[in-house]
Each structure stands twice: as structure tokens, then as C-alpha cells.
Amino acid sequence: MAHGAVGPRLMPTQGPPLIDIGPLMAHAAAADTPTDEAVLRVAADLDRACRDWGFVRLTGHGIEPELLARLDTSARRFFALSTEEKARVAMPNAGAAWRGWFPVGAELTAGRPDRKEGLYFGAELPPDHPHVLAGTPLFGANLYPERPDDLATLVPAYMHAATSVGHAVMRGLAMGLGIDANWFDAHLTANPTVLFRIFHYPPNPIEAEPTWGVSAHTDYGLLTLLAQDDRGGLQVHVGQRWVDVPAEPGVLVCNLGDMLEAMVGGRYRSTLHRVRNTSGQGRLSFPFFFDPAWDARIDPIPGLTAPPAAERSDRWDGANPLAWRGTYGEYLTTKVARVFPDLFGSIGPDHPEG
């Protein structure tokens, strides 16, 4: 039985549940907990999906299809450029701000090079921002390529839209957990840590040994909101087996991170997932990470009535998120140091768990 769940996990069928969050988006700015029946139904559906899967597919999110289509087109143009031109916005040029392009194999998951290249973005911050002045990792300015020049407008527009979805989903989860709808905004996400990636997974050569675009892992924070093209390749581990997630442009795939699992005492699970591009073509994905404020302390949410979680023994990294006590910035920094060891080698060893 899943830790903290009130019943057995759903057996995998056609992928994670599909939920229309339109009613939740319509009430996203409500000052109190909505009583609208449609909103409460969405909250209950999200709660069930997060207990059974830790993954859910979202429609009704309000992100314009045209914005997604333009972002897809612009990203393909960038990744088709020469290595030399892409390297003009290489990540080392941004230092610890962790922005820009990295080539295939430069990012590690579970200690193994990923078969993907990517562009990293975050909240745009001026040089006089306190975190930038302090040299805090992950804070700074974005690196936008000269070509295509529309990425500099498309990326902020998409991040703004996705941030609204993140706030709305967290309100729904708060209702599902039986706490005030605004609890996460009040305690964690009034100023969320937001990070956005565009990943390109090149086709695996037929004659080569198959390699993982991303090895099995979990995410770090609260929510990941993933847009993807129609090529497929994402799998989640539920019910003791790997399940394919449908490739549906326009549908957001939402999964939970380690910090949310820790805060709810295991009632929800940060679910293992992986990617392998077997389409024979290049694959694009657009993960957006909606996470706690950098300085927010991660503690169990008071007042939850869910049963306590048993100790986990199946973690991909041998860690126990439920044991973490510290700020989100501390947790994320130590994880990032493992993903890009050359870039963050000076950060130091992992913060002790517990």
C-alpha cells in the first residue's frame, strides 16, 4: 500500500488520470476556500490522483495553444543550430545562475549522462537583487540566443501562464488535503521558485545501444507541469510496473516532487519516472517547476489527518524526503550540485538528511 494512502493504488490502465481543471482556474483568485461543487469535485479528483499515481494529466489549464505551438517552433529552430552557435549561450556563461544551453550528455541523472540537450530559464532578476548580489545559486538573468529572437518573449509569457496554473493546482491540493485553500500561498508559494526547461531528445541511432533520455528519478519540489510534443517516451512507475504517459500536445502532465511528499507525510508520492525517445525523431518537452520559495522551511503541514507514512525503501537515490528538515534552497542546491557537478562542484556535499 502507498504510504499514507487510504486504499490500494489504482492499477495502471491508459496512463495517469485526465482531469479538467477549468473550474479550479476560474476560482484561482478566490480569497477563501470555494464552495462551488465543480471546484470541490476537481479538488477531490486531484487528491485521489495524487494518492494513487503522483501524476495527473490536466486540461482546462488556460495556456493558449498558440503560445505552446510558437514555443515548440522556436525551440526546434534553436536546437537545429550548429553547436558553435548554441554554445554562445552555454550554461557556464551564466555561472551559478544555472541558465542557458547544455549539450547532450552534460546533465547527469542518478550519476548517468542523459541523452538530451536543453535550455534552462528562471525568474529574470536584476544585478542588484539581494540573491544575485549574494551569489546565491540559481538566481540571476536568463541567457537568450540571438536566434530565434522570439524566445526572449515566448519564454516569459509561458512562465507567467504556467505560474498561474501552479498556484491553482496547489489550491486544489490544499482543498483535497482538508486545509485552507490558500495555505500554500500563505506559507510557501507567495514568491515561488520557478524554473523552466526546454529539452530536446535526439533520436537514438538504430545501431547504438539504447540509452535513457533521462534515467529513473523523482523531482525535487512541489509540482512539475510538463508540456510535450506528440513523440512520447515518458514513463511512470506505478503498481510495480512502468506505464507509458500518452503524448498529447496541449495536455499538461503534472507530477509531484519530494518536498510535497515530505510535507504531507507521504500521503502523496513523488513518483519515479524516466524518458526514452524511441520515436526515431527528435522529441521536445517543456517542464516547468513550481516550487517553494527559496527560503521557505520544509516542515510537515500541521493538522493533516492522513495516516502516517511507513519508511520508504524504494527511493532511486536512497534518500528519505520525509526526513528532510531545512529550507528548500538548501535541498535544491545540493541536488543541483549532483546534476551539474562541473558547474556546482564548489557548493559542497549534500546537506545531511534528518
Side-chain angles (χ1 to χ4, degrees):
M1 179 178 293
H3 305 318
V6 296
R9 284 190 166 222
L10 295 174
M11 289 304 294
T13 53
Q14 300 301 313
L18 183 68
I19 298 176
D20 181 354
I21 63 169
L24 194 59
M25 294 298 299
H27 289 77
D32 52 11
T33 298
T35 57
D36 182 275
E37 183 177 336
V39 177
L40 297 178
R41 187 183 312 116
V42 172
D45 289 344
L46 286 172
D47 178 72
R48 186 177 305 110
C50 290
R51 285 188 279 108
D52 293 338
W53 285 79
F55 266 77
V56 61
R57 294 144 59 216
L58 304 177
T59 62
H61 48 72
I63 299 179
E64 292 295 332
E66 181 184 358
L67 176 58
L68 282 166
R70 291 178 61 196
L71 192 59
D72 182 283
T73 298
S74 188
R76 292 183 192 280
R77 288 175 179 166
F78 173 79
F79 289 119
L81 297 174
S82 68
T83 299
E84 290 74 21
E85 186 165 355
K86 289 184 286 190
R88 295 175 187 171
V89 290
M91 291 182 73
N93 296 334
W98 205 34
R99 314 291 173 88
W101 172 76
F102 68 88
V104 175
E107 183 172 9
L108 306 181
T109 302
R112 299 177 181 177
D114 295 335
R115 185 172 172 75
K116 71 175 189 291
E117 60 178 321
L119 270 173
Y120 276 44
F121 304 98
E124 187 74 36
L125 298 176
D128 60 351
H129 187 280
H131 281 312
V132 178
L133 290 174
T136 307
L138 280 67
F139 288 86
N142 288 310
L143 292 180
Y144 291 109
E146 293 182 9
R147 296 193 304 158
D149 59 6
D150 58 354
L151 275 176
T153 56
L154 292 172
V155 167
Y158 185 82
M159 291 184 65
H160 176 76
T163 298
S164 296
V165 179
H167 282 294
V169 172
M170 294 309 301
R171 282 175 57 83
L173 293 183
M175 287 185 276
L177 289 165
I179 59 177
D180 182 83
N182 295 299
W183 192 93
F184 288 104
D185 270 348
H187 293 86
L188 286 183
T189 59
N191 183 28
T193 301
V194 291
L195 301 170
F196 178 51
R197 320 292 188 223
I198 304 177
F199 289 144
H200 171 237
Y201 298 84
N204 204 85
I206 296 176
E207 69 278 5
E209 174 114 13
T211 55
W212 290 106
V214 181
S215 299
H217 67 287
T218 59
D219 293 341
Y220 305 143
L222 294 178
L223 297 178
T224 302
L225 299 170
L226 174 75
Q228 55 180 337
D229 63 15
D230 61 355
R231 307 292 162 80
L234 174 63
Q235 296 181 326
V236 301
H237 193 257
V238 241
Q240 306 303 313
R241 58 176 291 193
W242 287 99
V243 181
D244 292 324
V245 176
E248 305 159 297
V251 174
L252 291 183
V253 179
C254 175
N255 65 277
L256 312 183
D258 295 345
M259 295 297 92
L260 188 54
E261 176 178 338
M263 296 183 69
V264 301
R267 173 174 177 168
Y268 297 160
R269 177 66 68 90
S270 178
T271 302
L272 204 63
H273 53 286
R274 65 188 184 185
V275 176
R276 176 175 282 164
N277 180 19
T278 59
S279 69
Q281 305 174 72
R283 173 186 184 266
L284 288 185
S285 71
F286 305 85
F288 174 83
F289 301 92
F290 182 87
D291 294 335
W294 185 260
D295 297 322
R297 182 171 175 83
I298 306 303
D299 290 308
I301 297 174
L304 290 184
T305 58
E311 184 176 351
R312 292 186 64 169
S313 60
D314 61 344
R315 281 284 301 192
W316 64 285
D317 56 0
N320 179 13
L322 274 63
W324 174 259
R325 296 295 179 270
T327 67
Y328 180 61
E330 291 169 335
Y331 187 83
L332 182 58
T333 300
T334 58
K335 295 297 183 182
V336 169
R338 289 185 171 186
V339 172
F340 286 101
D342 291 341
L343 197 60
F344 286 84
S346 62
I347 290 175
D350 273 6
H351 187 290
E353 305 224 0

